[in-house]
Amino acid sequence: MPSSDDLAGVAGHRPETTSSHMMKTTKRGRPFLKDTLDLFATLIVSLDLGVHKQFFRTFHNSFTTDEAAQHLAQLKFSQSGRGPDPRDPSRIVTTTTTTTFSMTRDMAKTMCQHFMDARLIENAADRGSNLFKERGVYVLTPKGLHVLERFITKNGISADPLAAVFSSQPICLKLLHLERRSIDDEIIISQSVVAALFRRFAGRSANYMPDPSNPPDPSQDYHERSKGIPLMDVGGSGYIGRNNTPAAKYCFQAVTALEWLCDFTSIVGRDEAAEMAAHFVRYGLITLVSDKRKGNDSAIIFTVRGSAPTDSEHSNVQPTGEFRCTAKAIYRISDEGRRVARWDSNAQAAGARNSPNTSQTNLKGQPKRPSIEQAESSTAATERNYGSGDSSSTLANAAENKIHRRISMSERMHEQYEMAERRVHGQKESNTDRLKSILEQPALRSLFREFLKGNFCEENLSFWLEVQDFKRKFNITSSAIAAVPARVGKATPGQAAMEKHHESLIQMAFMIYNMYLAPSSQCELNIDHGLRNELVAYLSEILTDLTGKQFSGRVEPEQAQSLNATQLQTMIRLYDRIQTHVFRLMATDSVPKFIKTPRYMALEDWQGQDEDEMADNDTIASHVNPAMPPGLEEDETEVGRAYWTVSQKANERAVKPLGVPPDRQLRPGS
C-alpha cells in the first residue's frame, strides 16, 4: 500500500501531510500498468544488483527472491524538485515527496509474478520459466531495462550504480506502447492501433531467423527477434526444409507470438497478448494453419468480438476472432497481413531477408543498409504516434491518409512537430533546425562530434551537452531505498538524497567552469568577452564572501562547498546564456560545413527511409467504432493510440561503428 509525505524546504516549516491508498487493480487482478512499471523500477533502483550462484552457475547483475521481498516490504521513493518560492521569486524552494510502499512477503511475491508476466524480469537459471519461485535468482529482461531507463531519466535518478547492467545486457531499443482506458486499464482497441501493433509484429519484411544449426548468442538472438515475429515454412506433414516447396509460408507458433508481444510491446501477460492476437485473426491479418494437439489435450482459446462492416471493401473483418494458445497451434501471416505490413514496398526500398524457400532470398542489386534502429531519435522519451482507428478505410490504407496527427509531449518539448510541418510544406530547413535534429539523434551527434574534433572545436558540443545535463539534474532528483522508519532528529531518506545531490551539483557547476570557462582551461571556449566577465564577476563575489579570499580565476575544491540553491540557480542562468551563444556559433559556423560532408549525406539517406516509414504510421483517423466491452457506455469511450519509445542507451550502443561507411556497417550483435 503506497503512502505519500510532502516536505518543502522553505523558511518556516510547512506542515507535513500524509496520505495512503491501495493500488488500483484490474478485472484480471493485476495492478494498473503505470503502477506496475513504477513499482518495478523503484524496486530495481533500491536493490544492489550483484553476483549470485544457483545450480553451480554464476549470474551477474541479479537479485534473489528474498532480496526482492525484503525491499518491497518497506520501500521508499523520494523525489525532490526545485522551483521559485511563491512568496519570494528570487529564492529557490526545494520540495520533497516521499512515497512508501509496504506489503507482506506473499504480496511481494505476487507483485514479482506480475513483473515476470509483463516480461520485466526473468529467472536467470531457467529463462523459459514463467513462475516467480520461492528460491530463485532473477535478472532484468531487455524490456525491463528499457522501462528502467525511462524511469531514471524522467525522475533524475543517478544511473551510475546500474552502469554495469546497461553496458553488458541487451536493451529493448524500440518499445511499442498501447494506450489504455483510465477506468479499467484495458487496451483501447481501434483499427489503426491494431494495424500499428501488427506492423511492429510482422516487421519490415519476413523475419526468417538464421540457420538453427548455428545458434547465435543471446544478444544477437534478441536483436534478430526484435525485427519481427520469427517465421518458418510449414507443410502438411510438418516442417519443410530449404529444398522443398512449402505448403504454407510465413508461419509461426502461437506460443512464440505471445512471447514476442510481451517482449516488445507494453502488453502485460499472455492473456492480454492472446486477446490482441485474436484481434489479428478478427481483422484477417493471420489465419490458423494447424493445431495438432491430441483429443485429450487441454486448450485455452481466447475469443474477441467487435462489429464487422457489411461493405465488400472490409470483407476481411469478422465479428469475432479466435486465438488458440496451445503448443501445437501454428498460424500464418495472411495476404491481407502482408499487405498491411507492406512487405512488398519495404523489400523494394531496402534489401530484406526473405523466406529461405523463395527465389528472392539473394536478390542482386539491393542496397544493404545499417540497422534501422540507428536512425531513431536520441532521447529516451521520444514518442512516435500512430493514432486511433477509422472504420471507413482498410487497415492497409489507414496509414496512407496522411491525416493531421496528434502531437506528443516529447515533440512539443523538442519542437520536432514544427520542423516536420515546415518540411511537409516545402519550407527550407534552417541551420538552427538542423542543429536541433543533430543534437537529438545519437548517430548524427556522434558524427558531428567527430567533425568538430577534426576542426578543433569539439569543446563547443561538449559544453552544450554538459550544461544541458546540469540543468536537468538541478530541476529534479529522486532516490529509492528499502528503509526502516527514520529516527527522530535524523534526516529522511529524501532529505539525505537531496543533500548528497546538492553537493554533486556544486561539484558539477565548478567542473564545467574549470573545464571550459576558466582562464587557460583545458577546453577553453571562445565566447563573448562580456559574458565571461559577468560570470567571473559573480563567482568572485560569492566565493570571496564565502571564503574571505580573493578569487584567482579558478575554483579550488575546498572553495566549492557552501553554495545554496539560489546561487546555483544564478549560475545556471549564466551558463544558459553562454550555452545559447555556443549553440548559435555551432549553427552558423559548423553546421553549414558539416551537412556538406559525404558521411552526413550518406547517413541522412538511410534515416530518410525510416522517416518515410514513421510518417506512414503517424496518422489519426476518426474515432469511429473502437471495440467496446459490455457495460462501458458510448459517451465514456476513450480514443486509443499506439506510440513507441526509443532507448537512448541502446541507441548509443547501436551507433558505435560510425567510423565504418554506412554500406559496410554491421547490425548490433552481428
Side-chain angles (χ1 to χ4, degrees), residues 190-347:
S190 62
Q191 190 172 18
S192 63
V193 166
V194 174
L197 177 62
F198 181 75
R199 287 194 190 100
R200 182 71 182 93
F201 175 81
R204 291 170 58 88
S205 61
N207 185 24
Y208 284 86
M209 299 288 281
D211 188 354
S213 63
N214 185 23
D217 62 70
S219 296
Q220 185 176 357
D221 179 69
Y222 181 82
H223 173 70
E224 293 295 332
R225 289 180 63 237
S226 71
K227 300 173 187 175
I229 181 70
L231 300 176
M232 59 189 176
D233 293 341
V234 175
S237 59
Y239 305 113
I240 299 298
R242 292 178 180 271
N243 297 323
N244 299 303
T245 302
K249 292 162 50 179
Y250 314 125
C251 299
F252 57 88
Q253 293 177 309
V255 174
T256 303
L258 302 184
E259 293 174 350
W260 193 98
L261 288 169
C262 290
D263 279 339
F264 297 99
T265 74
S266 63
I267 288 172
V268 283
R270 291 194 172 194
D271 54 346
E272 203 169 68
E275 288 185 4
M276 297 308 299
H279 281 293
F280 292 165
V281 175
R282 187 170 82 84
Y283 280 100
L285 304 174
I286 62 175
T287 57
L288 180 67
V289 174
S290 66
D291 184 6
K292 296 184 178 180
R293 58 189 172 88
K294 297 179 181 178
N296 57 350
D297 287 348
S298 61
I300 301 176
I301 301 176
F302 280 81
T303 303
V304 295
R305 293 175 174 83
S307 59
T310 57
D311 58 300
S312 59
E313 186 180 3
H314 298 83
S315 58
N316 289 309
V317 182
Q318 302 298 320
T320 62
E322 178 182 284
F323 190 80
R324 304 188 182 192
C325 305
T326 68
K328 300 291 185 179
I330 295 177
Y331 285 80
R332 65 183 290 268
I333 294 177
S334 66
D335 292 341
E336 173 68 7
R338 294 196 296 277
R339 188 165 67 90
V340 170
R342 299 180 182 166
W343 281 357
D344 292 339
S345 58
N346 289 337

Side-chain angles (χ1 to χ4, degrees), residues 3 41 46 55 62 65 188 212 232 290 361 396 469 516 523 605 642 646:
S3 63
S46 73
F55 305 133
S62 59
T65 302
I188 305 172
M232 59 189 176
S290 66
T361 304
D469 190 42
Y516 300 102
C523 302
D605 287 342
V646 182

Side-chain angles (χ1 to χ4, degrees), residues 346-648:
N346 289 337
Q348 292 172 7
R353 178 169 39 214
N354 253 310
S355 166
N357 297 294
T358 66
S359 60
Q360 299 178 4
T361 304
N362 298 309
L363 289 174
K364 301 296 183 182
Q366 296 279 10
K368 295 184 179 180
R369 63 191 300 272
S371 173
I372 62 169
E373 292 88 349
Q374 294 181 11
E376 297 301 342
S377 171
S378 65
T379 63
T382 298
E383 299 178 356
R384 301 293 181 190
N385 302 291
Y386 294 93
S388 62
D390 183 355
S391 62
S392 63
S393 60
T394 64
L395 281 172
N397 293 331
E400 301 279 2
N401 296 326
K402 303 294 182 184
I403 301 175
H404 195 74
R405 64 192 178 93
R406 291 168 70 181
I407 309 168
S408 72
M409 182 58 67
S410 174
E411 289 176 315
R412 291 184 189 276
M413 292 171 61
H414 296 105
E415 300 180 7
Q416 291 175 341
Y417 175 74
E418 289 80 1
M419 293 162 58
E421 284 289 283
R422 287 196 288 272
R423 286 197 295 268
V424 168
H425 292 93
Q427 299 179 21
K428 186 177 180 181
E429 189 178 28
S430 68
N431 287 327
T432 297
D433 290 339
R434 289 193 181 103
L435 181 55
K436 289 177 181 177
S437 178
I438 290 168
L439 293 172
E440 289 171 359
Q441 300 184 53
L444 288 175
R445 191 172 64 237
S446 180
L447 203 60
F448 188 50
R449 182 184 289 278
E450 290 185 25
F451 172 80
L452 294 177
K453 189 174 182 179
N455 286 270
F456 306 103
C457 53
E458 182 187 6
E459 65 276 1
N460 291 334
L461 176 61
S462 298
F463 172 80
W464 193 93
L465 294 173
E466 292 277 11
V467 173
Q468 201 73 358
D469 190 42
F470 179 45
K471 291 190 295 186
R472 179 184 62 82
K473 290 180 177 178
F474 178 83
N475 290 327
I476 188 170
T477 183
S478 305
S479 65
I481 60 170
V484 296
R487 293 186 222 163
V488 177
K490 283 208 166 190
T492 65
Q495 291 170 330
M498 197 62 198
E499 290 172 3
K500 183 177 180 180
H501 182 68
H502 183 78
E503 293 174 1
S504 68
L505 284 175
I506 294 174
Q507 295 174 2
M508 189 174 186
F510 290 126
M511 181 277 294
I512 292 174
Y513 174 79
N514 286 334
M515 178 69 72
Y516 300 102
L517 300 168
S520 303
S521 56
Q522 181 178 348
C523 302
E524 187 173 2
L525 293 176
N526 180 19
I527 62 170
D528 182 75
H529 190 64
L531 278 176
R532 190 188 302 274
N533 285 346
E534 189 174 348
L535 175 62
V536 170
Y538 180 71
L539 287 177
S540 178
E541 177 186 344
I542 61 174
L543 291 177
T544 301
D545 290 344
L546 289 172
T547 64
K549 299 179 181 179
Q550 187 174 0
F551 182 54
S552 61
R554 290 187 64 85
V555 181
E556 302 302 328
E558 60 272 12
Q559 294 177 299
Q561 299 296 329
S562 306
L563 265 67
N564 58 40
T566 302
Q567 292 168 327
L568 272 178
Q569 174 75 4
T570 303
M571 289 193 67
I572 284 179
R573 292 195 188 105
L574 292 168
Y575 282 173
D576 193 55
R577 290 171 57 192
I578 299 173
Q579 188 189 37
T580 301
H581 174 84
V582 168
F583 182 92
R584 290 173 181 164
L585 184 65
M586 290 191 292
T588 57
D589 183 61
S590 300
V591 169
K593 302 172 185 174
F594 173 62
I595 61 176
K596 295 178 182 178
T597 61
R599 295 180 66 195
Y600 169 83
M601 291 187 285
L603 190 55
E604 276 289 278
D605 287 342
W606 292 121
Q607 288 186 329
Q609 295 179 17
D610 281 344
E611 286 173 0
D612 290 342
E613 179 197 10
M614 294 171 191
D616 287 342
N617 288 325
D618 286 346
T619 64
I620 266 201
S622 64
H623 306 159
V624 178
N625 203 26
M628 200 163 28
L632 190 64
E633 298 301 328
E634 197 166 324
D635 59 355
E636 295 176 323
T637 302
E638 297 177 70
V639 178
R641 67 180 177 122
Y643 63 92
W644 68 52
T645 52
V646 182
S647 165
Q648 165 81 9

Side-chain angles (χ1 to χ4, degrees), residues 77-120:
F77 176 74
S78 299
Q79 186 173 79
S80 300
R82 290 187 172 93
D85 185 347
R87 296 174 294 184
D88 182 4
S90 64
R91 297 184 59 203
I92 299 298
V93 175
T94 300
T95 302
T96 300
T97 301
T98 300
T99 302
T100 302
F101 299 90
S102 58
M103 58 188 73
T104 64
R105 181 180 179 87
D106 287 341
M107 188 183 299
K109 287 171 58 182
T110 300
M111 280 304 310
C112 289
Q113 181 62 60
H114 291 314
F115 299 158
M116 287 198 75
D117 293 340
R119 293 295 296 148
L120 302 173

Side-chain angles (χ1 to χ4, degrees), residues 38 41-42 45 77 147-157:
D38 287 349
T42 303
V45 171
F77 176 74
V147 170
L148 179 63
E149 180 188 344
R150 294 190 70 210
F151 182 82
I152 64 178
T153 301
K154 176 183 176 182
N155 292 288
I157 299 173

